[in-house]
Amino acid sequence: MEHRSRADAASGEFITETFEYDGGRQATVYVPPDRPEAIVFAGDGESLSRWGADLAGTGLPATMVVGVHRHADETLRIHEYSPGFDPDRFAAHEAFLMQDVRAWVATRWGLAMPAERTAMLGVSASGELALAMGLRHPDIFGSVMCASPGAGYPPPEKLPAHVPRAYLVGGTQEPFFLRNATLWAAALVKAGATVAMKERSGSHGDIF
């Protein structure tokens, strides 16, 4: 079932769809007023999809943000987002995102963006999901945007030959997460990726 609402900004709208996965998981999409020129997929979609409206009026290319909602149980959320805890649950969530959600977007809006116009976004645990999806599917996600990643998914000893571009950020008042972001930045640079690593004033949380 599809639910529509206007964006907080003066343009664009949010559309939420309920899928059969896991007894009824939702995904919320920010649809810009103009035809999208880029698309960003994200975990924690009930929160991160809302960021799409902040792009309205900035002069940036029209960007669609597709956010898959998190599991209500924090432990299961982490298990879906980080491949090392419960590989079967992670794989099921990965398939849901890569197959069901992407197919819905392609069919509903007729979008098939190349990797250089497709990114994966995440914050904290969903930042780990963004990194994992970027490394596992660099042919789909040409860029990864990751804020304050946890340590559930550390950089593998050997990264794939082809790695996506990456933007990472961590806060000066969240040393644990800043350290994780720095480790990932160093590993991706070593693997040949184009990386922007930012250290900003702030602590772990929504405001930062």
Side-chain angles (χ1 to χ4, degrees):
M1 179 180 295
E2 186 175 281
H3 172 73
R4 290 170 172 261
S5 64
R6 296 299 299 173
D8 294 334
S11 56
E13 66 178 338
F14 296 105
I15 295 178
T16 299
E17 177 74 7
T18 302
F19 296 82
E20 294 183 1
Y21 172 74
D22 198 39
R25 188 68 65 88
Q26 293 184 320
T28 295
V29 179
Y30 168 70
V31 184
D34 299 321
R35 182 167 178 80
E37 298 179 46
I39 185 167
V40 175
F41 289 86
D44 294 330
E46 63 275 35
S47 300
L48 301 193
S49 60
R50 301 285 163 180
W51 294 2
D54 295 334
L55 300 176
T58 63
L60 294 171
T63 301
M64 173 179 282
V65 181
V66 182
V68 178
H69 289 207
R70 67 167 69 95
H71 198 288
D73 183 290
E74 181 63 17
T75 297
L76 295 181
R77 169 180 173 256
I78 293 172
H79 288 184
E80 287 185 340
Y81 287 175
S82 300
F85 293 107
D86 185 339
D88 290 340
R89 187 165 195 93
F90 175 87
H93 183 264
E94 177 184 27
F96 169 55
L97 169 61
M98 296 299 298
Q99 299 171 19
D100 299 354
V101 176
R102 289 180 61 243
W104 172 62
V105 171
T107 301
R108 175 67 174 76
W109 286 279
L111 292 177
M113 296 288 179
E116 57 266 26
R117 295 189 181 185
T118 306
M120 189 74 197
L121 165 70
V123 173
S124 193
S126 64
E128 299 175 41
L129 175 67
L131 290 163
M133 291 297 97
L135 291 188
R136 294 162 75 94
H137 306 282
D139 57 323
I140 301 296
F141 304 111
S143 299
V144 169
M145 297 178 286
C146 174
S148 309
Y153 178 50
E157 291 186 9
K158 184 177 181 180
L159 271 66
H162 178 50
V163 289
R165 300 184 303 273
Y167 171 85
L168 295 110
V169 61
T172 56
Q173 298 171 45
E174 50 164 16
F176 171 79
F177 298 96
L178 176 57
R179 181 169 59 253
N180 296 332
T182 302
L183 286 173
W184 267 104
L188 289 167
V189 167
K190 186 177 180 180
T194 299
V195 177
M197 172 64 207
K198 302 294 184 181
E199 182 176 322
R200 297 175 56 193
S201 177
S203 61
H204 204 66
D206 292 340
I207 295 175
F208 171 69

